């Protein structure tokens, strides 16, 4: 512990609390010399929250002013309280005040369009009308141009649906005469942020709720969160073979899916989902050995016809192959030749390759006639051929 002199020149011990106070005081003095600039990031404590404005400490002698609407949640309620620490960005200096906006906030505003352009901060604009190649947008009393390709993440099939509405934009080009804005760029940044949060929040194997928003021949797209979509490949829609996703799902349908994996490809997040694996009944193949042992005769439906045979579905998610060689020489060969998808057929389980998830089918075999083995002298009136020779005293040569 360090020593200090009192007013009489005697040594005194310095307490730990005093040392801590001195260190904090020294740090606060350093903060007095700190100079902020537009664009600087500030982490500060909320000092007060008013109806229109709130104040946040900046680490300088001057506290920062932030609009209260920048602290609202999606329900338009203040989601912070005095004492909370938030991350902000310096947007402007005006009348000796430090103007702040919450970092990443969609409500962030600036007093200068030049500052918004330099710092890539969103600005609010209203689409006033369509024009050649895009839209005219009113931003803080000035007219900007938004190309039609930059108004949304998806292609704008009906341009008029955007007219008269307010959106957040990023200023992508600005000079003395022209200003170009993009809503798509802002949506992409927000989606990237949401995707990062999604990957941290959900791990493969998780069950998620979503809504079918688009159907393609190769599968169905599910909206899991705002701006977050995943794909259910057609092979993951059901345990049975699916020929058209419309057979299983429809647009607007609510579904529970299993998250298979997330990966980033070409800068985009790819989310793979499964509808069938989210089903509590599980994989029907696990029940095959017990439910369909070799020799079982069962009725199924033709699922697919090939030159080498028929694929027959014998249970949901369980399909076997009836090779052409099994019925080519039968009396019903012509009937099998004319079978088509959906037709019923009676088959017999001949072989199960469990690990490969394959079943070989055949035609139900006729019961072997063994009645000849029961034919004896007792029920025929004659003994054996040898006995007959004995009775006649004739020895067979």
């Amino acid at each position: 512990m360090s020593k200090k002199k009192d007013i009489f020149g005697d040594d005194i011990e310095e307490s730990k609390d005093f040392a801590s106070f001195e260190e904090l005081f020294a740090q606060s003095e350093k903060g007095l010399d700190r100079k902020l600039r537009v664009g600087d990031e500030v982490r500060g404590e909320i000092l007060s929250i008013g109806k229109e404005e709130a104040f946040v400490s900046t680490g300088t002698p001057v506290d920062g002013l932030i609009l209260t609407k920048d602290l609202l949640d999606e329900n338009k309620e203040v989601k912070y309280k005095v004492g909370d620490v938030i991350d902000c960005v310096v947007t402007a200096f005006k009348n000796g005040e430090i103007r702040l906006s919450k970092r990443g906030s969609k409500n962030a505003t600036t007093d200068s369009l030049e500052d918004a352009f330099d710092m890539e901060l969103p600005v609010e604009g209203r689409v006033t009308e369509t024009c050649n190649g895009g839209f005219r947008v009113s931003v803080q009393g000035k007219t900007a141009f938004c190309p039609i390709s930059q108004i949304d993440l998806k292609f704008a099939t009906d341009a008029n649906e955007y007219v008269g509405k307010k959106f957040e934009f990023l200023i992508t080009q600005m000079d003395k005469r022209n200003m170009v804005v993009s809503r798509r760029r802002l949506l992409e940044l927000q989606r990237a942020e949401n995707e990062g949060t999604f990957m941290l929040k959900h791990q493969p194997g998780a069950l998620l709720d979503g809504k079918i928003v688009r159907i393609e021949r190769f599968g169905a797209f599910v909206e899991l969160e705002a701006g977050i979509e995943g794909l259910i490949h057609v092979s993951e829609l059901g345990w049975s073979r699916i020929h058209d996703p419309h057979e299983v799902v429809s647009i607007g349908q609510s579904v529970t899916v299993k998250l298979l994996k997330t990966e980033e490809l070409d800068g985009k997040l790819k989310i793979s989902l499964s509808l069938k694996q989210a089903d509590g009944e599980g994989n029907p193949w696990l029940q095959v050995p017990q439910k369909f042992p070799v020799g079982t005769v069962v009725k199924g439906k033709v699922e697919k016809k090939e030159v080498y045979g028929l694929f027959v579905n014998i249970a949901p998610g369980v399909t076997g192959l009836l090779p052409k060689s099994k019925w080519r020489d039968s009396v019903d060969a012509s009937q099998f030749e004319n079978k088509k998808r959906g037709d019923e057929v009676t088959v017999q389980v001949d072989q199960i390759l469990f690990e490969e998830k394959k079943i070989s089918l055949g035609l139900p075999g006729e019961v072997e006639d063994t009645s000849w083995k029961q034919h004896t002298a007792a029920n025929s009136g004659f003994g054996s051929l040898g006995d007959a020779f004995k009775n006649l005293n004739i020895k067979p040569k």
Side-chain angles (χ1 to χ4, degrees):
M1 192 173 295
S2 60
K3 299 283 186 176
K4 282 195 171 184
K5 302 286 186 178
D6 61 16
I7 56 174
F8 301 105
D10 296 327
D11 291 334
I12 59 173
E13 290 189 348
E14 182 183 11
S15 69
K16 291 183 179 180
D17 291 340
F18 186 84
S20 299
F21 174 79
E22 193 173 59
E23 290 172 2
L24 293 173
F25 185 76
Q27 291 176 7
S28 67
E29 285 187 317
K30 290 181 181 179
L32 296 176
D33 297 330
R34 184 184 178 192
K35 292 184 179 180
L36 295 175
R37 293 176 297 179
V38 171
D40 283 353
E41 296 183 358
V42 174
R43 169 168 289 188
E45 179 185 344
I46 298 177
L47 303 175
S48 65
I49 302 176
K51 185 176 181 181
E52 300 292 336
E53 301 171 340
F55 286 91
V56 178
S57 62
T58 62
T60 72
V62 180
D63 297 326
L65 183 149
I66 187 172
L67 297 179
T68 303
K69 71 175 185 177
D70 209 14
L71 304 177
L72 302 181
D73 58 17
E74 60 273 8
N75 298 319
K76 304 299 182 182
E77 297 180 355
V78 178
K79 61 178 179 179
Y80 298 98
K81 63 182 183 298
V82 173
D84 286 350
V85 176
I86 59 173
D87 293 318
C88 302
V89 176
V90 178
T91 59
F93 294 92
K94 187 174 181 181
N95 299 327
E97 295 177 338
I98 301 176
R99 299 293 180 94
L100 305 173
S101 68
K102 187 172 175 293
R103 191 173 65 182
S105 169
K106 297 192 330 186
N107 295 322
T109 60
T110 64
D111 293 320
S112 168
L113 293 178
E114 288 80 5
D115 290 339
F117 174 58
D118 292 338
M119 294 182 291
E120 296 185 348
L121 294 174
V123 294
E124 186 178 74
R126 184 173 66 87
V127 179
T128 57
E129 61 180 339
T130 61
C131 60
N132 186 26
F135 305 87
R136 289 192 176 92
V137 182
S138 175
V139 181
Q140 295 187 17
K142 296 185 178 181
T143 299
F145 172 70
C146 178
I148 192 168
S149 63
Q150 298 299 309
I151 194 66
D152 211 333
L153 289 172
K154 64 177 191 277
F155 179 74
T157 54
D158 182 10
N160 290 321
E161 71 172 295
Y162 298 94
V163 177
K165 296 181 179 179
K166 289 184 178 181
F167 301 105
E168 297 287 333
F169 296 88
L170 284 181
I171 303 174
T172 57
Q173 182 180 332
M174 188 172 188
D175 54 37
K176 293 182 179 180
R177 300 181 59 183
N178 300 309
M179 180 166 54
V180 180
V181 295
S182 171
R183 178 171 175 251
R184 180 190 181 99
R185 175 61 179 154
L186 179 60
L187 292 176
E188 287 175 341
L189 292 173
Q190 292 172 351
R191 181 174 64 182
E193 182 178 347
N194 293 340
E195 288 175 346
T197 302
F198 178 88
M199 293 180 69
L200 292 174
K201 191 165 53 173
H202 302 293
Q203 299 298 319
L207 295 180
L208 308 172
D209 293 324
K211 182 174 68 175
I212 304 294
V213 292
R214 194 164 77 257
I215 298 177
E216 302 289 349
R217 61 177 180 79
F218 51 83
F221 287 90
V222 181
E223 184 180 53
L224 302 170
E225 297 178 3
I228 304 293
E229 291 184 7
L231 172 66
I232 310 174
H233 190 268
V234 64
S235 63
E236 291 294 332
L237 284 170
W239 293 109
S240 301
R241 187 186 297 271
I242 307 299
H243 298 274
D244 184 348
H246 288 91
E247 299 173 8
V248 182
V249 294
S250 58
I251 293 178
Q253 177 182 343
S254 296
V255 293
T256 298
V257 293
K258 181 178 180 179
L259 176 62
L260 298 182
K261 65 177 180 178
T262 58
E263 57 183 338
E264 192 171 338
L265 296 174
D266 300 326
K268 294 182 179 179
L269 180 64
K270 303 292 184 181
I271 301 175
S272 299
L273 306 170
S274 175
L275 182 63
K276 69 181 186 183
Q277 294 188 44
D279 185 0
E281 295 183 0
N283 189 344
W285 266 94
L286 300 178
Q287 304 300 320
V288 165
Q290 294 78 28
K291 195 172 183 181
F292 302 104
V294 172
T296 302
V297 176
V298 61
K299 287 185 178 181
K301 288 188 176 181
V302 176
E303 189 174 84
K304 189 178 181 183
K305 185 176 182 179
E306 298 290 353
V307 294
Y308 48 83
L310 301 174
F311 285 96
V312 181
N313 181 257
I314 60 175
V318 181
T319 298
L321 173 64
L322 176 62
K324 188 173 183 178
S325 60
K326 296 290 184 69
W327 47 263
R328 182 175 51 202
D329 299 325
S330 73
V331 293
D332 297 325
S334 60
Q335 294 184 21
F336 284 101
E337 285 286 358
N338 296 325
K339 292 292 184 183
K340 59 184 184 298
R341 182 183 170 198
D343 287 349
E344 190 174 86
V345 61
T346 301
V347 293
Q348 176 178 287
V349 177
D350 283 353
Q351 185 181 23
I352 299 175
L353 300 177
F354 184 77
E355 294 298 328
E356 300 175 35
K357 291 185 173 60
K358 291 182 180 179
I359 295 180
S360 179
L361 304 172
L363 299 181
E366 295 181 359
V367 178
E368 186 181 4
D369 183 7
T370 60
S371 60
W372 63 271
K373 294 181 179 180
Q374 309 300 323
H375 190 75
T376 65
N379 56 34
S380 66
F382 295 98
S384 67
L385 186 58
D387 292 337
F389 281 117
K390 289 180 181 178
N391 295 333
L392 294 174
N393 294 318
I394 298 175
K395 295 182 179 181
K397 295 181 179 181

